[in-house]
Amino acid sequence: MAARMNHTVLPPGADDRDLLTALKYVIAGQDDVTISTPEGSAPLPDSVRRLLVDAVTALDRGQAVTVEPHRTVLTTQEAAELLGITRPTLVRLLEAGKIPYSSPGRHRRVELADVPAFRQHERARRGQVFEEMAHEETPDPGDAADGFVSTR
């Protein structure tokens, strides 16, 4: 059986909603999951299990799901698209050492795993900056007792 390179699944009808709920309950649980057929059985790896939980959750919400494989080594354009930034901005990040890359020949290549790692690191860094800003004290001018501050 040949695998398709991408596949979109539309949300099921109302008749299959109960099946989705039951499936989500089983695969999202703490117990190991094994897939069985008359030909044999195999344990479900955690990475595939997380993918299935996300897909079933989206389908249960009435959303369509597309599964599309990605290469593990990306061009700068592909990496920039995944991050939602321009290619020149990505190149600046690469040259600043923010994202690791390799240069086989004259083109830069980025590992797929480094793209979401960078995104997560940036979210954490921004959250920390916002937290620090929230705790900064703003001095209240002493002459502002009436709520107005003289600017002249």
Side-chain angles (χ1 to χ4, degrees):
M1 181 172 150
R4 292 166 58 178
M5 292 312 290
N6 64 20
H7 184 74
T8 299
V9 177
L10 298 175
D15 299 341
D16 291 338
R17 275 287 161 77
D18 292 336
L19 292 174
L20 277 180
T21 303
L23 179 60
K24 186 169 63 170
Y25 177 78
V26 169
I27 61 176
Q30 298 297 320
D31 298 330
D32 291 337
V33 176
T34 302
I35 294 182
S36 298
T37 67
E39 290 83 29
S41 64
L44 196 61
D46 285 339
S47 58
V48 175
R49 184 178 181 168
R50 287 189 304 269
L51 172 71
L52 289 175
V53 168
D54 291 346
V56 170
T57 300
L59 288 169
D60 194 35
R61 290 181 187 154
Q63 300 170 321
V65 174
T66 300
V67 177
E68 183 176 358
H70 284 278
R71 295 178 303 138
T72 57
V73 179
L74 306 173
T75 65
T76 53
Q77 184 63 45
E78 291 167 332
E81 287 172 2
L82 285 175
L83 289 172
I85 59 177
T86 65
R87 194 188 66 75
T89 299
L90 177 77
V91 169
R92 282 194 294 276
L93 291 170
L94 297 176
E95 291 175 351
K98 305 272 185 175
I99 303 173
Y101 71 97
S102 60
S103 293
R106 64 177 235 176
H107 298 288
R108 296 176 189 92
R109 297 289 183 246
V110 180
E111 291 289 330
L112 176 61
D114 293 330
V115 174
F118 170 77
R119 182 184 302 132
Q120 185 64 31
H121 174 74
E122 280 299 298
R123 282 184 181 156
R125 185 187 66 76
R126 288 178 185 151
Q128 183 179 9
V129 169
F130 288 143
E131 191 69 28
E132 290 171 5
M133 289 171 60
H135 293 297
E136 287 180 359
E137 291 186 31
T138 305
D140 188 18
D143 63 344
D146 60 357
F148 294 99
V149 176
S150 175
T151 58
R152 293 188 181 181

